[in-house]
Amino acid sequence: MVDKDLMQRRQEWFEKVKKEKKLKENPTEDHKAGLMTMQNPVRRNILKSLSEKKMSFDELKNKFDLNDMQAKLHLDMLEDTLYIEKEGDSTYGITVRGEAFLANVESKHEH
């Protein structure tokens, strides 16, 4: 059972992104974009790293040996599909959706 705190965080996050019109109108398109984003192992590893701590653009770029363009592409895709969010100018953190992906999808494929 999901604890009340987590359920409340999920609901608050959902209301926030809905209000900001960040969710795609068509849930199928939203799902398709999310699947495309998470097919890439670099993006999955970025998500895992952000689940441990918030990181800056440069920290992520260096950790995954990416150039500026590659880092921007990966981070923009993760942000556009609402798995991560940018805090301030260059700090990234995982969202409730990103946490749910790791808990419900990624953890089931690790053995």
Side-chain angles (χ1 to χ4, degrees):
M1 183 159 153
V2 179
D3 66 35
K4 283 185 173 184
D5 198 37
L6 180 58
M7 286 179 64
Q8 183 176 350
R9 279 187 34 231
R10 286 180 179 172
Q11 186 62 36
E12 288 169 359
W13 175 84
F14 180 75
E15 293 299 324
K16 177 183 153 218
V17 295
K18 191 175 168 185
K19 182 180 169 186
E20 294 170 354
K21 298 191 187 295
K22 290 183 178 179
L23 286 175
K24 297 188 184 332
E25 290 292 320
N26 181 342
T28 302
E29 288 299 312
D30 189 56
H31 184 71
K32 197 161 136 184
L35 284 173
M36 282 184 56
T37 298
M38 298 316 293
Q39 284 179 345
N40 185 287
V42 173
R43 289 191 282 274
R44 289 195 306 272
N45 287 327
I46 288 172
L47 195 63
K48 287 178 196 171
S49 290
L50 291 174
S51 73
E52 296 167 9
K53 68 174 187 164
K54 294 177 183 180
M55 298 175 79
S56 72
F57 179 87
D58 287 334
E59 287 174 316
L60 289 162
K61 187 176 90 166
N62 293 332
K63 179 171 183 162
F64 295 100
D65 194 26
L66 303 169
N67 65 35
D68 283 351
M69 192 183 312
Q70 292 168 323
K72 182 168 175 22
L73 171 80
H74 290 306
L75 293 169
D76 284 353
M77 284 186 80
L78 286 164
E79 191 175 8
D80 288 346
T81 51
L82 307 175
Y83 288 108
I84 66 171
E85 58 191 357
K86 195 173 188 181
E87 299 174 8
D89 287 340
S90 67
T91 301
Y92 293 87
I94 193 168
T95 64
V96 171
R97 178 179 273 182
E99 291 171 352
F101 174 83
L102 292 177
N104 296 310
V105 179
E106 191 65 17
S107 65
K108 292 182 175 36
H109 295 284
E110 294 175 349
H111 293 290

